[in-house]
């Protein structure tokens, strides 16, 4: 089978031929049809992601596909069932073996591409805004990187939860996408002062930040007393300093949020969140924005879009 593989730590990944895997006890084998790309994939290549597997490994963190075989002790989902699951690794391949208890059967009205590009981005935003920040109807949510893979989902979910959403992104084209997904106010990070604009709009009660760097600092200074700031990631490449004295005076809370970590210490929080989200998706309440799809032999092009921050919404590899 073909797989996008890292043979030795530090090497660039390559499309290679590997033996067909056999499912172990508790696993299913999937004939993979689609795999979502994530900023974390870029960090894995450099060995800088917090859950980078030991080499050799096949990349690809979230997949959709058809159950092809069962490992010992597994009877469900049945062979032939379309499912989505968080793989963590192994998704950028024609076949892969994954824990059966992670598989979510897909209704006919959810496509493989939407399902593969849905889990991490929507899961991160929903768990962050609902479970972690306790976003309330009528509160003001500031979303940084609002047209990116996770940022756009935060805009959409924030609106679904009844918040007033301020979307911040770089350039008018990206802001138009955020507006289409429900943003009430727009800030162009290229030309506008984030702090001043947010303060002029009454300040932020919750900040969703996958960017870090100077944008976090500006948002921190525009957060209302008793506000919550979600540290989702650092796409800018800068981890911002956090002034604890200002946190104290304004009663602010800075919340770290790593979605995948919940698989290890509180998986029910993830499964409950995903059940809600797949229900919303099936009902049409949310609609993933997949900006680009590429075949397996063009993964590098998809990763380049993420690296250069040129994508909007999600990039998905079809297999």
């Amino acid at each position: 089978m073909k797989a996008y593989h890292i043979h030795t730590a530090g090497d660039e990944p390559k499309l290679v031929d590997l033996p067909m895997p056999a499912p172990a006890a508790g696993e299913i084998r999937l004939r993979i049809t689609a795999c979502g790309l994530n900023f974390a994939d870029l960090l894995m290549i450099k060995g800088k992601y917090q859950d980078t597997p030991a080499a050799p490994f096949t990349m690809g963190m979230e997949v959709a596909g058809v159950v092809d075989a069962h490992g010992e002790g597994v009877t469900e989902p049945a062979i032939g069932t379309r499912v989505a699951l968080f793989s963590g690794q192994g998704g950028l391949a024609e076949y892969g073996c994954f824990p059966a208890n992670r598989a979510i059967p897909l209704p006919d009205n959810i496509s493989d591409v939407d399902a593969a590009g849905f889990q991490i981005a929507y899961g991160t935003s929903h768990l962050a805004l609902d479970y972690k920040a306790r976003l309330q109807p009528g509160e003001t949510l500031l979303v940084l990187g609002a047209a990116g893979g996770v940022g756009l989902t935060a805009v959409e979910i924030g609106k679904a939860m009844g918040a007033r959403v301020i979307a911040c992104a770089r350039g008018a084209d990206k802001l138009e996408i955020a507006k289409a997904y429900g943003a009430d106010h727009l800030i162009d990070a290229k030309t506008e002062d984030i702090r001043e604009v947010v303060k002029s709009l009454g300040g932020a009660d919750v900040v969703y930040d996958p960017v870090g760097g100077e944008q976090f600092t500006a948002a921190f200074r525009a957060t209302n007393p008793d506000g919550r700031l979600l540290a989702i990631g650092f796409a800018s490449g800068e981890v911002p300093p956090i002034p604890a004295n200002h946190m104290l005076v304004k009663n602010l809370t800075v919340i770290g949020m790593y979605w995948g970590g919940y698989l290890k210490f509180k998986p029910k929080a993830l499964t409950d969140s995903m059940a809600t989200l797949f229900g919303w998706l099936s009902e049409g309440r949310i609609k993933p924005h997949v900006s680009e799809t590429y075949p397996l032999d063009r993964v590098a092009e998809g990763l380049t879009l993420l690296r250069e921050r040129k994508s909007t919404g999600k990039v998905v590899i079809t297999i």
Side-chain angles (χ1 to χ4, degrees), residues 142-147 166-170 175 185-189 194 215:
L142 169 62
V143 180
L144 305 179
I166 304 171
C168 179
R170 297 178 66 84
L175 288 171
H185 303 279
L186 307 174
I187 301 175
D188 190 335
I194 295 171
Q215 290 194 28

Side-chain angles (χ1 to χ4, degrees), residues 115-132:
F118 175 81
Q119 299 162 82
I120 294 176
Y122 278 89
T124 295
S125 292
H126 184 258
L127 200 68
L129 294 174
D130 182 58
Y131 181 78
K132 298 287 280 186

Side-chain angles (χ1 to χ4, degrees), residues 89-154:
Q89 60 172 301
L92 287 170
E94 293 175 320
Y95 290 84
C97 295
F98 311 104
N101 60 8
R102 294 188 188 178
I104 302 169
L106 294 174
D108 292 340
N109 66 343
I110 298 179
S111 73
D112 292 358
V113 168
D114 281 351
F118 175 81
Q119 299 162 82
I120 294 176
Y122 278 89
T124 295
S125 292
H126 184 258
L127 200 68
L129 294 174
D130 182 58
Y131 181 78
K132 298 287 280 186
R134 308 294 184 189
L135 179 68
Q136 300 299 307
E139 288 191 313
T140 296
L141 168 66
L142 169 62
V143 180
L144 305 179
V150 292
L152 194 59
T153 67

Side-chain angles (χ1 to χ4, degrees), residues 7 21 126 146 148 161 179 181 196 266 278 283 287 309:
H7 183 70
H126 184 258
M161 293 177 67
K179 182 178 180 181
Y181 274 70
E196 291 304 318
K266 196 177 284 186
F278 271 99
E283 295 164 7
K287 181 171 177 54
R309 298 169 70 181

